[in-house]
Amino acid sequence: MKQLRFYLLSLFLLGAGYASAQDAFDYAQKEYELTFTVRGKTQTVSCQAVRFHKNWFLTAAHCVSPCKNYSCQMRMWLAVGPARAAAVLSQKNVFLPDEYQDEYTLPPGVQPRRGELPAWDMALIYFNARQARYEYYDAYGKVKEKDFLLTLDRGFWEKKTDEALKESARLYEQSRQYAADGQAQIARQLTEQAQALEQDADEYRAAAEAAPLLKRQWDGAMAPRLAPLLTYSDKDEKFLLSNILVPRWTRGAFEMLSSPRQILYFGDNAAPWLSAGFGVEKGNSGGGVFLPVYNGGKKRASGLVGIVSAKSLNQLPEAARKRYALYGSEIFLFNGFSENTTLGFIRRVLTEYRDTPNVQPLESYGQLKEVIKKTAPKTAKKK
């Protein structure tokens, strides 16, 4: 009963978070934990990953870089909340670009290059939902699959609510009879039992309301809706006129962040985009950056324009910071899909599995405005 009560109370408390995701991208974005052991020390980190293919997730390379040279295991949370379901993935499921460097991919004592735009902070996670091994949890540890599936069934909780209220009514009637017979102590005990059942019924009602939203997470993991990767190959710097959206799940709570300013693309060879800082923080790394398209006030479509990289903040060259001072001291970078870097890496890896990413031109989704025209400097004419 204690274990069941945890399900119910947590569903009640987290219901508001699930509800806010109804018009968001929870069908594609997931939270995961990576556990790895380096030189005898075990560490666990949490990041985001966004699904762009039925068998593939994108994340930040710095989130999974220990998997290149060290033992690691990943839990991809497919349903997060009172009852949690995780796909268990091993080191062989993670793919990193050869060009990416950090303290985990380089030999001990060797420092990564600094002062460069981090075009390679992007990695791939292979995940086949139909073949994956799953684990199910609550606050007390692992649970059986059948117990997890019960939390997704609204009818189950509605039946439990009805049963609890009927039993509570029966106990109240018995309590009145014992009180009339002068057996006050028994009557008081029966009343307390009836009140406890009423509390259970309230929790069952909350669970019935939350169950469809938890089920939506699970169903979305099994049969996801996927946003295309948005790309273009123009090498000039551009402004993206539309706002971007950065969704994330954190321990079952959902939030959606949006940028209030124009976004600057550095060009095909660099891949990163630049924006003002707008609340993206630790834990967002690896999450998707979406470009919504609206028609008549309603969301018509969405595309994936990049992947969040928290480490990007410290690697922007000082010259670029000065040049784009209009963004302020807080600068947010995320990696886009460049044919020469990130998109090329994605295509190379997927080709080995005979999978093809859905790639569409950015011009079809948002307007681009040229910032700087790269022309040769003019020379003075000789007299």
Side-chain angles (χ1 to χ4, degrees), residues 56-319:
W56 294 93
F57 279 84
L58 279 164
T59 191
H62 75 262
C63 287
V64 295
S65 61
C67 294
K68 183 171 183 177
N69 295 321
Y70 303 96
S71 176
C72 68
Q73 185 183 64
M74 181 183 302
R75 283 182 174 84
M76 180 78 71
W77 300 109
L78 302 181
V80 187
R84 297 170 289 157
V88 183
L89 307 176
S90 69
Q91 194 163 353
K92 67 180 181 180
N93 295 84
V94 178
F95 299 82
L96 288 129
D98 293 334
E99 294 84 352
Y100 178 78
Q101 297 182 351
D102 69 8
E103 62 271 30
Y104 296 114
T105 63
L106 293 171
V110 179
Q111 297 297 319
R113 297 187 300 267
R114 305 293 294 179
E116 298 180 6
L117 288 172
W120 294 105
D121 194 6
M122 185 180 289
L124 289 165
I125 300 169
Y126 178 78
F127 170 76
N128 187 318
R130 301 300 177 186
Q131 298 178 1
R133 178 168 62 92
Y134 295 97
E135 293 178 353
Y136 307 97
Y137 300 82
D138 68 7
Y140 305 98
K142 292 184 180 179
V143 298
K144 295 180 180 179
E145 181 179 7
K146 63 181 181 64
D147 294 325
F148 165 77
L149 294 176
L150 282 178
T151 66
L152 312 182
D153 185 359
R154 180 168 190 160
F156 170 79
W157 298 121
E158 290 174 342
K159 182 179 179 182
K160 297 288 289 186
T161 302
D162 186 58
E163 291 174 349
L165 291 176
K166 287 181 179 178
E167 180 63 13
S168 176
R170 187 185 70 80
L171 291 173
Y172 275 128
E173 180 59 30
Q174 282 189 344
S175 175
R176 285 191 290 270
Q177 293 175 4
Y178 278 104
D181 293 339
Q183 300 186 54
Q185 184 176 354
I186 297 177
R188 185 166 55 253
Q189 291 175 348
L190 290 171
T191 298
E192 290 174 354
Q193 293 175 24
Q195 291 171 343
L197 282 170
E198 287 182 330
Q199 292 178 358
D200 287 344
D202 289 339
E203 293 175 349
Y204 294 152
R205 289 192 189 96
E209 293 179 4
L213 302 174
L214 184 59
K215 185 176 186 299
R216 185 181 178 208
Q217 287 188 61
W218 178 251
D219 290 345
M222 295 297 103
R225 292 183 292 131
L226 305 170
L229 306 182
L230 303 185
T231 184
Y232 76 99
S233 58
D234 192 292
K235 292 181 175 59
D236 290 338
E237 295 172 354
K238 301 282 185 177
F239 270 132
L240 178 65
L241 302 184
S242 303
N243 283 348
I244 60 174
L245 297 175
V246 181
R248 79 167 179 176
W249 287 95
T250 305
R251 299 181 182 87
F254 182 82
E255 61 181 327
M256 176 75 77
L257 306 172
S258 62
S259 174
R261 302 189 189 177
Q262 293 177 329
I263 316 301
L264 178 63
Y265 185 70
F266 278 102
D268 183 66
N269 291 320
W273 295 78
L274 180 150
S275 174
F278 59 98
V280 177
E281 56 191 29
K282 187 175 181 179
N284 278 104
S285 290
V289 180
F290 290 87
L291 181 65
V293 177
Y294 294 90
N295 183 13
K298 296 182 179 180
K299 182 161 66 66
R300 179 170 56 87
S302 63
L304 187 62
V305 75
I307 299 296
V308 176
S309 170
K311 281 200 170 184
S312 301
L313 295 173
N314 298 321
Q315 294 185 338
L316 182 67
E318 186 62 29

